[in-house]
Amino acid sequence: MLINIDVASHRHNPAFLVLFTTGFTATSFGEAMAFANANHFTMGDTQVNAIANQTNIHQSLAIGGDKDPLRLLLDHSAIDAMADSPSASYAPTCHPGTREAVTKDVMTWARDPKATPILWLSGPVGAGKSCIQRKVVQLCTDEGLYVACFFFSVKESETSSEARFITTLAAQLAENIPGLKWYIERAIKMDHRIFTRSLDSQAEGLIIKPLQALEDSMLNRLERFCRKTLMNFTSQGGPRTRISVIVIDGLDECVDEKEQAHILHLVDVLANQSVFPFRFVIASRPEYAIRTAFSSPPLFAHTRVLRLETYEADGDILLFMKAEFCRLRSNHPASKAIPINWPSTEDENALISKASGQFVFVSTVMKHLSNPRRNPVLELQHILDYRPSESNTNPFAELDALYNRILRQPGVNILLLKPILHAIIRSVFFIEEIEDLLDLAPEGEVVDKEFWLSFSLETDQAIKKKMVEDRLNEADSIGDYVPPVK
């Protein structure tokens, strides 16, 4: 392997080539000029790739196996967990002009080189976390801050477990980080068992070691070229800043609680590596395993928490509803029968009250009203007056299925859940009263006291109970959870 570099003469010329190869040498700058503007070509067993104003030439690795290592990596990745997957085309997004306050806070954190390496966006089901995360991906992409993501979802086995978490991140880092792909390819070729190893070993082999190799490579130590690499340094040569962002959404939809905690462990391990220049923004419901991990060392010290409950959502919901009602008045097959001033302000306020800050409610309502075979004016009145015992149709079937899945998670004690839901409706918000109502010992282990205390403190300012009360009074919508409230 020969190296012929004339840094003094040619380091300012964009056609300057740094050659790492066998059987080919550039003995003069004139020979190198023959390759000016050339990119992504091969010579024998040598691969040439241009990165910004530098050209990296790597000798291909012949370590057995005919399949392309990046193809293998993608085969072991969760494609649907990526922001640009085919299924992402149908994913809901934030309505223009909504969720501005929370996305502003996330992006302020993302741009701050001294911010915590982890941000946890916590919020209840239906609050719009996934829409916010997709908006964050877009904003970070526009500013050159985005490098990878993982959108968990119970809809697919590959996106509802931890199994493909590391490989999916590694595949995106290989694609988005200049120069890193070759080192990840080498890691796969040198360890044919990498995809059968533990996630901790995969994180080490597919992410940490390739990043370290990239940092240590001779190319990235050359004068001026090192400034174009992945790593960023302060003007004094101090600690590297963390600018690029990895987005993780729906961690609670990883169905195994142990895996949820393990993913957060992996995140913390990666975030604290000296060669890892990225930060994580993670969105999830405040489930017990996730909340416990974030409140315990070492994650507690490395994480900033944003709670969606603290952001006023009624204005955003109203903006979304007005746009949707305008669309219905213009495009619905029954538009000629829709009054120009429909719906009334009273009806809009009633929907906002029922929504209780949850975008999923109004989204479900608008989806129901968009049915081309129904009159939206009549259907809205049906929704506002809806009582299951008096109707043969349920406009909230999709919403009920969502909450039914959440309430029926493995390990949920339905018999205990019933009186807890009753306690919410009766406005019993002190842990001592809950214990008395449920006839529990003061130190009983059946109640998640930490969650209940946080719920109690935030109830008055952030959680409205109107929607809960409406739904619990509708016995048909929640089956055997609780009888109608007296």
Side-chain angles (χ1 to χ4, degrees), residues 15-55:
F16 177 61
L17 297 179
V18 180
L19 301 180
F20 282 69
T21 183
T22 301
F24 177 85
T25 60
T27 57
S28 70
F29 185 64
E31 294 178 11
M33 285 295 292
F35 295 91
N37 300 318
N39 182 28
H40 300 301
F41 62 91
T42 60
M43 295 177 295
D45 60 353
T46 301
Q47 177 183 354
V48 183
N49 294 309
I51 303 172
N53 290 328
Q54 71 183 73
T55 301

Side-chain angles (χ1 to χ4, degrees), residues 211-258:
L211 284 170
Q212 184 67 65
L214 176 61
E215 186 182 57
D216 292 343
S217 68
M218 182 173 292
L219 287 176
N220 295 316
R221 290 180 178 276
L222 290 176
E223 183 181 357
R224 294 184 63 85
F225 289 162
C226 65
R227 301 174 190 174
K228 301 295 184 181
T229 64
L230 165 69
M231 309 306 171
N232 297 295
F233 294 87
T234 64
S235 58
Q236 294 79 22
R240 61 178 53 85
T241 58
R242 296 174 182 270
I243 299 299
S244 299
V245 174
I246 295 175
V247 176
I248 300 175
D249 181 65
L251 179 56
D252 52 273
E253 298 215 5
C254 178
V255 295
D256 190 319
E257 287 189 348
K258 291 182 180 179

Side-chain angles (χ1 to χ4, degrees), residues 121-133:
L121 182 62
S122 170
V125 63
K129 299 182 294 298
S130 294
C131 291
I132 293 171
Q133 288 288 71

Side-chain angles (χ1 to χ4, degrees), residues 44-91:
D45 60 353
T46 301
Q47 177 183 354
V48 183
N49 294 309
I51 303 172
N53 290 328
Q54 71 183 73
T55 301
N56 289 353
I57 304 183
H58 297 291
Q59 183 181 6
S60 297
L61 296 169
I63 311 181
D66 297 328
K67 194 161 187 180
D68 175 34
L70 287 185
R71 182 70 260 171
L72 282 172
L73 183 59
L74 284 174
D75 288 346
H76 288 85
S77 299
I79 302 301
D80 283 338
M82 300 181 186
D84 57 355
S85 69
S87 60
S89 303
Y90 306 98

Side-chain angles (χ1 to χ4, degrees), residues 435 440-447 449:
E435 290 176 337
L440 300 174
E443 300 301 324
E445 297 180 355
V446 291
V447 173
K449 292 187 178 183

Side-chain angles (χ1 to χ4, degrees), residues 111-243:
R111 300 184 191 104
D112 183 1
K114 297 182 179 179
T116 59
I118 301 169
L119 178 84
W120 180 30
L121 182 62
S122 170
V125 63
K129 299 182 294 298
S130 294
C131 291
I132 293 171
Q133 288 288 71
R134 292 193 182 277
K135 186 173 182 178
V136 168
V137 167
Q138 185 58 58
L139 291 173
C140 286
T141 300
D142 292 344
E143 297 187 23
L145 304 178
Y146 170 76
V147 290
C149 73
F150 198 105
F151 280 76
F152 285 94
S153 173
V154 295
K155 295 180 181 179
E156 301 288 342
S157 60
E158 294 180 353
T159 58
S160 60
S161 76
E162 67 172 1
R164 300 191 174 214
F165 177 67
I166 293 298
T167 52
T168 304
L169 295 186
Q172 295 171 88
L173 293 177
E175 178 182 0
N176 295 326
I177 302 302
L180 186 61
K181 180 174 75 171
W182 187 81
Y183 294 101
I184 293 179
E185 286 181 325
R186 181 176 67 174
I188 296 170
K189 287 187 174 184
M190 294 184 69
D191 184 0
H192 292 172
R193 284 193 54 230
I194 188 66
F195 300 118
T196 63
R197 298 191 187 279
S198 69
L199 294 192
D200 296 77
S201 296
Q202 289 182 13
E204 180 76 15
L206 292 174
I207 296 179
I208 297 173
K209 286 185 177 180
L211 284 170
Q212 184 67 65
L214 176 61
E215 186 182 57
D216 292 343
S217 68
M218 182 173 292
L219 287 176
N220 295 316
R221 290 180 178 276
L222 290 176
E223 183 181 357
R224 294 184 63 85
F225 289 162
C226 65
R227 301 174 190 174
K228 301 295 184 181
T229 64
L230 165 69
M231 309 306 171
N232 297 295
F233 294 87
T234 64
S235 58
Q236 294 79 22
R240 61 178 53 85
T241 58
R242 296 174 182 270
I243 299 299

